[in-house]
């Protein structure tokens, strides 16, 4: 690692000459790409002993020019990224800068996993877990065709052991064991499961690749004279729009009047998918009106983020010719001509929905919140569950060496020019997640509240949860705190549209 500290101007020039080492422009198989799409692996041209130092420099310098909170950031010399022992520590120091106002809980470094999952392919076990109101660990969802689904795991199954150790949550080490077993990088996990019929099963689930279908359940309910559509949507993957189209086509055939969208575990994903979902729900009377506006970092708007010249991609333009561009070639002004104002354009044949209910938790974030925020000014929207995560900012990936850097670069605001929900969106009915019932069970607490409101015009207090579990004596606050530690769903709003070239 170099010990000499360069001035910011010199180090930037040096980096731009050295980006063949850290951020190569060469592609193995050039293809059409938009900003949020997966970039192919960059190739290292020449090994260098300064690789780690250059990566740390790159993290800082990309933030200096593209970070949403870059105004007031220190100089390169003042920050000195090379004094930190790891890339993660550099990023942590950036997030802790006074310029962020303590708002950045979003930035992270990834090995390419997120890009794959955004495209609809995962390589994990395909399930997740949480503690229920009785302090019992349960499966909260399972992706169809995943290794967990093949093994027979289902939502609501009680998990009594993970890798041979009980899940009683008697200490922090219990949570650590669950995190390592279920969410770690191991090739397999062993579970002891109690099924709904009280049979006990010992399972070994092997990690494997599978296609993500984020629609976990859909159905239509009859409530009096009304038809209520219900869809559980778990991730805004780039491949999910045709799946949503099919569900909404069925809703149109069923003649639904109201809609329940279950986003309780949906941490976000593709901006373009969120936009398509909005247009499936919004009334056609909104066609041509502003849906939302994207406000990029001022340095990007002012064409001063020159470091983006190192983020290369191929794109086919209107003349049919494929050319090499960089992220610097896009226009980031918050106007329609620059592609940073989106307008409603009705999608599908379902129209005339009078009300939409969103089932949410603290894990509902980013592209999920974008969907909700887009619709709030134009129709009756009700939120049921817990206050959402709070992420009105988004990003595209920045390829540095072998990793992707995700730092917020833009904020979105809806038709009413609102987008400051950094503290989360407050719900209309505060009620905890119900893991004891499967998706679609009309008695499941969150769904039951939506159906009851549809029938009576008000939420019911009959389903009120206990502050203290009658079986465990553990407070709901304590349970929620531990569930936060088990929340590993990706939370992000990734720009996947093709922006306008300058």
């Amino acid at each position: 690692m170099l010990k000499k500290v360069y001035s910011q101007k010199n180090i930037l020039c040096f980096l731009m000459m050295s980006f063949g080492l850290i951020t190569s422009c060469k592609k193995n198989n050039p293809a059409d790409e938009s900003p949020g799409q997966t970039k192919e692996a960059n190739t290292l041209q020449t090994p260098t002993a300064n690789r780690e130092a250059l990566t740390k420099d790159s993290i800082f310098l990309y933030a200096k020019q593209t970070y949403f909170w870059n105004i007031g950031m220190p100089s390169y010399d003042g920050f000195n990224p090379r004094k930190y022992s790891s890339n993660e520590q550099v990023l942590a120091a950036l997030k802790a800068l006074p310029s962020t106002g303590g708002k950045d809980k979003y930035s992270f470094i990834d090995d390419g996993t997120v890009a794959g999952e955004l495209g609809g392919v995962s390589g994990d076990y395909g399930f997740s877990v949480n503690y229920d109101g009785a302090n019992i660990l349960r499966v909260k969802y399972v992706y169809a065709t995943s290794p967990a689904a093949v093994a027979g795991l289902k939502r609501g199954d009680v998990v009594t052991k993970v890798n041979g150790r009980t899940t009683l949550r008697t200490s922090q080490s219990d949570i650590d064991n669950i995190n390592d077993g279920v969410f770690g990088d191991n090739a397999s996990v062993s579970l002891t499961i109690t099924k709904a019929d009280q049979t006990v099963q010992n399972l070994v689930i092997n990690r494997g690749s599978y296609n993500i279908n984020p629609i976990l359940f859909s159905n239509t309910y009859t409530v009096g004279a009304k038809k209520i559509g219900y869809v559980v949507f778990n991730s805004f993957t780039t491949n999910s729009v045709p799946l949503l189209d099919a569900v909404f086509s069925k809703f149109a055939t069923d003649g639904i009047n109201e809609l329940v969208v279950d986003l309780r575990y949906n941490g976000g994903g593709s901006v373009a998918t969120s936009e398509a979902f909005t247009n499936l729900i919004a009334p056609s009377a909104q066609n041509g009106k502003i849906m939302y506006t994207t406000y990029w970092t001022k340095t990007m708007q002012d064409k001063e983020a020159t470091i983006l010249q190192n983020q290369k991609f191929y794109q086919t333009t209107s003349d049919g010719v494929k050319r090499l561009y960089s992220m610097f070639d896009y226009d980031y002004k918050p106007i329609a001509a620059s592609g940073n104002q989106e307008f409603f354009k009705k999608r599908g044949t379902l129209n005339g929905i009078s009300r939409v209910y969103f089932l949410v938790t603290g894990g509902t974030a980013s592209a999920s919140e974008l969907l909700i925020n887009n619709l709030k000014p134009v129709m009756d929207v009700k939120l049921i569950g817990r206050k959402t995560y709070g992420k009105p900012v988004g990003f595209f990936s920045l390829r540095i060496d072998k990793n992707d850097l995700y730092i917020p670069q833009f904020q979105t605001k809806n038709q009413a020019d609102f987008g400051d929900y950094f503290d989360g969106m407050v719900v209309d009915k505060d009620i905890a997640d119900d893991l004891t019932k499967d998706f679609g069970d009309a008695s499941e607490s969150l769904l039951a509240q939506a159906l009851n409101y549809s029938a009576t015009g008000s939420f019911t207090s009959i389903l009120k949860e206990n502050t203290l579990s009658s079986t465990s004596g553990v407070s709901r606050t304590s349970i929620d705190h531990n569930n936060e530690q088990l929340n590993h769903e990706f939370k992000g709003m990734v720009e996947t549209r093709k922006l306008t070239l300058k």
Side-chain angles (χ1 to χ4, degrees):
M1 183 181 296
L2 288 177
K3 294 183 179 179
K4 181 177 179 181
V5 178
Y6 295 85
S7 69
Q8 183 176 337
K9 182 177 180 180
N10 288 338
I11 194 69
L12 178 57
C13 293
F14 175 63
L15 278 174
M16 292 181 75
M17 291 186 293
S18 304
F19 260 88
L21 306 176
I22 301 299
T23 310
S24 170
C25 301
K26 182 179 179 181
K27 302 287 181 182
N28 296 327
N29 295 295
D32 284 350
E33 293 178 346
S34 60
Q37 289 178 313
T38 306
K39 302 289 190 295
E40 296 178 41
N42 297 326
T43 54
L44 184 66
Q45 304 298 315
T46 307
T48 172
N50 300 324
R51 182 170 179 164
E52 292 182 1
L54 289 173
T55 297
K56 293 171 184 176
D57 291 342
S58 297
I59 293 171
F60 171 79
L61 291 171
Y62 272 110
K64 184 71 174 175
Q65 292 192 11
T66 72
Y67 194 31
F68 189 72
W69 296 284
N70 63 358
I71 296 176
M73 278 182 61
S75 65
Y76 173 86
D77 293 329
F79 185 84
N80 187 13
R82 299 188 185 187
K83 72 182 179 184
Y84 297 98
S85 60
S86 68
N87 297 335
E88 288 71 22
Q89 286 192 10
V90 174
L91 188 58
L94 287 170
K95 293 165 68 174
L97 288 173
S99 60
T100 69
K103 291 181 178 179
D104 188 3
K105 54 183 177 180
Y106 320 114
S107 298
F108 64 96
I109 299 171
D110 183 66
D111 62 0
T113 299
V114 166
E117 292 180 350
L118 185 67
V121 179
S122 188
D124 55 17
Y125 303 125
F127 77 103
S128 188
V129 294
N130 256 5
Y131 285 96
D132 67 11
N135 201 31
I136 296 170
L137 190 69
R138 292 181 182 268
V139 175
K140 67 180 185 181
Y141 68 80
V142 180
Y143 279 120
T145 75
S146 70
V150 173
L153 212 60
K154 295 184 180 299
R155 173 177 165 83
D157 286 349
V158 175
V159 184
T160 57
K161 288 185 180 180
V162 175
N163 288 336
R165 181 167 172 172
T166 62
T167 59
L168 297 177
R169 202 186 62 86
T170 56
S171 68
Q172 180 61 43
S173 62
D174 295 321
I175 301 296
D176 294 340
N177 179 65
I178 295 168
N179 272 322
D180 178 66
V182 177
F183 305 108
D185 297 325
N186 305 310
S188 64
V189 61
S190 64
L191 304 173
T192 299
I193 300 295
T194 301
K195 307 293 284 187
D197 61 3
Q198 300 306 304
T199 59
V200 177
Q201 297 179 357
N202 292 309
L203 304 175
V204 175
I205 302 176
N206 297 311
R207 184 181 300 275
S209 179
Y210 62 95
N211 293 324
I212 298 173
N213 182 346
I215 299 176
L216 302 183
F217 183 85
S218 65
N219 193 27
T220 298
Y221 302 84
T222 300
V223 179
K226 295 180 182 177
K227 296 287 186 179
I228 315 297
Y230 173 62
V231 58
V232 182
F233 191 63
N234 216 46
S235 180
F236 286 82
T237 59
T238 57
N239 68 334
S240 58
V241 174
L243 303 173
L244 286 169
D245 285 340
V247 169
F248 275 74
S249 177
K250 176 65 163 54
F251 287 158
T253 300
D254 292 344
I256 69 168
N257 314 106
E258 296 181 358
L259 175 68
V260 182
V261 181
D262 196 332
L263 302 173
R264 70 185 80 189
Y265 310 130
N266 193 322
S270 164
V271 169
T273 301
S274 184
E275 181 185 321
F277 204 161
T278 303
N279 280 319
L280 282 167
I281 300 172
S284 58
Q286 288 295 317
N287 282 353
K289 298 179 182 178
I290 291 175
M291 179 190 292
Y292 69 93
T293 302
T294 302
Y295 295 88
W296 295 88
T297 303
K298 188 174 185 303
T299 46
M300 296 170 72
Q301 291 186 39
D302 294 344
K303 303 180 182 180
E304 295 176 356
T306 54
I307 197 169
L308 289 175
Q309 292 172 353
N310 299 290
Q311 296 291 317
K312 304 287 187 178
F313 62 93
Y314 283 89
Q315 182 168 310
T316 301
T317 52
S318 58
D319 60 3
V321 178
K322 185 181 296 183
R323 297 181 177 88
L324 182 65
Y325 294 96
S326 75
M327 299 304 297
F328 182 71
D329 295 322
Y330 282 123
D331 191 340
Y332 296 102
K333 295 184 182 67
I335 57 176
S338 299
N340 290 310
Q341 272 191 324
E342 291 300 328
F343 298 85
F344 285 101
K345 184 179 180 182
K346 185 63 189 173
R347 186 181 186 94
T349 59
L350 179 62
N351 202 13
I353 297 175
S354 60
R355 182 182 296 121
V356 57
Y357 308 86
F358 288 102
L359 309 187
V360 298
T361 66
T364 305
S366 205
S368 289
E369 293 170 310
L370 175 64
L371 170 63
I372 297 168
N373 200 49
N374 286 342
L375 292 171
K376 275 193 169 187
V378 302
M379 61 189 305
D380 187 5
V381 172
K382 303 295 182 187
L383 270 61
I384 301 169
R386 293 292 201 226
K387 185 171 73 170
T388 66
Y389 183 72
K391 190 178 186 299
V393 291
F395 35 50
F396 52 73
S397 65
L398 297 165
R399 190 69 178 177
I400 301 176
D401 198 11
K402 297 180 179 180
N403 293 304
D404 293 326
L405 172 66
Y406 290 90
I407 54 175
Q409 296 138 341
F410 66 84
Q411 180 179 8
T412 59
K413 295 187 179 183
N414 64 17
Q415 184 183 99
D417 199 35
F418 176 75
D420 291 328
Y421 45 87
F422 287 97
D423 293 328
M425 294 177 171
V426 177
V427 296
D428 298 285
K429 176 61 180 178
D430 192 305
I431 188 167
D433 189 13
D434 182 0
L435 293 167
T436 66
K437 306 289 196 308
D438 202 356
F439 293 123
D441 187 327
S443 66
E444 187 274 315
S445 297
L446 274 66
L447 176 58
Q449 288 288 352
L451 297 177
N452 186 80
Y453 194 99
S454 180
T456 67
S458 64
F459 297 112
T460 176
S461 59
I462 297 175
L463 299 173
K464 186 177 180 181
E465 60 180 328
N466 293 324
T467 302
L468 194 69
S469 168
S470 59
T471 56
S472 69
V474 178
S475 71
R476 184 74 229 192
T477 300
S478 177
I479 294 171
D480 289 346
H481 172 72
N482 283 284
N483 282 336
E484 288 176 6
Q485 298 183 66
L486 299 177
N487 189 342
H488 294 272
E489 281 76 30
F490 165 73
K491 295 178 182 62
M493 180 161 56
V494 184
E495 181 55 87
T496 52
R497 303 167 303 158
K498 287 188 176 180
L499 304 177
T500 302
L501 294 164
K502 296 174 187 174

